[in-house]
Amino acid sequence: MASTSEGDGMDLINWYYQRRMLNAMVQNKWTEAEHFTRKLIRHRGASVGLVYNLALITLGSGRTQEAYAQLLESVETYGESLRLCRLLGDIAYLDGKRQESLQWYGKAEDEAQSPKELHLIRMRLKILSDPDWYGRVLGILSLVDQAQQAMEKEPNRAWDLYRKVVLEDP
């Protein structure tokens, strides 16, 4: 049974696991984030939000296909939502799966309400609808890894690499 503080019904175990999960995610401590997310799921049960966070953590850990599978399972369990479809679209986009990405972004577009979100999704759909443009984007995406590696010791080089990517993939 979960412990609670007196009078307010707050689940301190839930709060602790959630704080640890979120702090680890912000710090890119993926093993720790996964550990506390799984503890949280065992403690309070799965939810679309926790499964989504677990997929983000899995993705952050570099296990792209596992994250994609987790998200597909989440769509089967909870149904399509903006968050799930958008992240499935993002993974497929980065993985060179043009048709899958078009499908997921199309579904995300139907769910999006924020002008910023709609703009990004529509930009991705525009890129995906032009196979030559999308091919150029795929060719330049490796610069993101190079930029991340250069961030600490060569910030100007990292900035230049990121600019090249953004010019091709706004």
Side-chain angles (χ1 to χ4, degrees):
M1 187 158 155
S3 65
T4 59
S5 63
E6 291 189 35
D8 67 4
M10 183 175 166
D11 182 343
L12 293 177
I13 292 172
N14 181 71
W15 177 86
Y16 175 75
Y17 290 162
Q18 189 168 351
R19 293 276 34 104
R20 292 292 304 266
M21 172 192 72
L22 294 172
N23 287 338
M25 287 176 74
V26 168
Q27 297 170 9
N28 296 335
K29 295 180 177 178
W30 304 119
T31 302
E32 182 179 334
E34 183 173 354
H35 172 76
F36 282 102
T37 304
R38 292 192 185 282
K39 284 178 100 49
L40 195 52
I41 289 170
R42 281 192 300 276
H43 177 72
R44 77 173 201 210
S47 68
V48 68
L50 286 176
V51 174
Y52 177 81
N53 282 347
L54 186 59
L56 286 177
I57 291 162
T58 304
L59 190 59
S61 299
R63 301 180 340 251
T64 306
Q65 295 312 309
E66 186 180 338
Y68 196 80
Q70 288 170 337
L71 290 164
L72 287 175
E73 187 175 313
S74 189
V75 166
E76 288 178 22
T77 302
Y78 302 104
E80 294 172 355
S81 70
L82 171 63
R83 286 197 297 178
L84 296 174
C85 292
R86 162 75 195 285
L87 191 51
L88 282 161
D90 291 343
I91 293 171
Y93 183 87
L94 296 172
D95 213 26
K97 297 177 180 173
R98 186 171 159 266
Q99 290 304 319
E100 286 180 44
S101 189
L102 277 165
Q103 171 195 349
W104 290 116
Y105 281 132
K107 291 177 181 188
E109 182 183 29
D110 294 341
E111 299 286 327
Q113 295 178 7
S114 152
K116 288 181 181 181
E117 189 82 40
L118 271 170
H119 177 74
L120 175 86
I121 292 168
R122 288 178 178 157
M123 178 56 70
R124 287 277 168 97
L125 286 168
K126 185 176 178 180
I127 292 168
L128 288 160
S129 68
D130 181 340
D132 291 334
W133 188 359
Y134 182 55
R136 291 191 310 271
V137 167
L138 288 177
I140 204 165
L141 285 177
S142 65
L143 296 181
V144 173
D145 289 335
Q146 293 176 35
Q148 288 173 337
Q149 292 171 7
M151 278 298 281
E152 210 168 294
K153 295 182 180 177
E154 301 175 272
N156 289 335
R157 180 173 178 266
W159 173 254
D160 290 339
L161 292 168
Y162 280 128
R163 281 195 53 206
K164 286 179 183 178
V165 172
V166 170
L167 288 172
E168 195 63 60
D169 184 4

